[in-house]
Amino acid sequence: MCADLNGDGFKDLVLGDISFPDLTALYNSGGNLNDSHIASQDSTFPVYDFPVEAALFPCGFYEDLNNDNVRDFIASPNAAACSLNNTSIWYYENVRQDDSARFAFRTNSLLQR
């Protein structure tokens, strides 16, 4: 998932790994359009709230889920037959704006209850 997470005008990256249950945020501190510089990371994204801990290989999505015109964060396993049937869609509401996101954990069972 690519999004400007810290409001500096540069796209940051949230990625999962096939062997791990969590997500890592890589913060881009700038450069030109063809260059980037990863200056810091959050290896348990989002570290400031309840970090994602999916069954395996989570993937992040940046979508407006609650129709407030601000994109929210959703995470879910990204491999066949590796999720739990009742806690596999993690929903975080964006309590700021698209260009300076701050996600607040709401549920790990979105659309599953």
Side-chain angles (χ1 to χ4, degrees):
M1 178 186 94
C2 291
D4 184 4
L5 299 174
N6 55 7
D8 65 0
F10 300 105
K11 297 287 185 183
D12 306 302
L13 181 64
V14 176
L15 60 106
D17 194 351
I18 196 158
S19 299
F20 296 92
D22 51 10
L23 291 167
T24 299
L26 303 175
Y27 293 95
N28 180 4
S29 67
N32 58 44
L33 291 176
N34 298 318
D35 190 19
S36 64
H37 181 262
I38 304 303
S40 62
Q41 70 176 350
D42 171 356
S43 61
T44 55
F45 182 78
V47 70
Y48 54 79
D49 202 312
F50 192 71
V52 172
E53 191 174 335
L56 186 66
F57 194 21
C59 185
F61 304 92
Y62 200 41
E63 299 292 333
D64 182 9
L65 224 63
N66 57 2
N67 294 317
D68 64 354
N69 294 317
V70 177
R71 289 179 286 181
D72 306 301
F73 176 65
I74 308 155
S76 183
N78 192 31
C82 74
S83 63
L84 301 174
N85 65 356
N86 58 351
T87 56
S88 62
I89 304 174
W90 294 60
Y91 167 54
Y92 294 78
E93 181 182 5
N94 187 350
V95 295
R96 287 191 186 159
Q97 299 299 316
D98 272 359
D99 62 353
S100 61
R102 179 75 172 189
F103 301 115
F105 176 77
R106 298 298 184 230
T107 183
N108 64 354
S109 59
L110 181 70
L111 305 174
Q112 294 177 301
R113 286 198 253 163

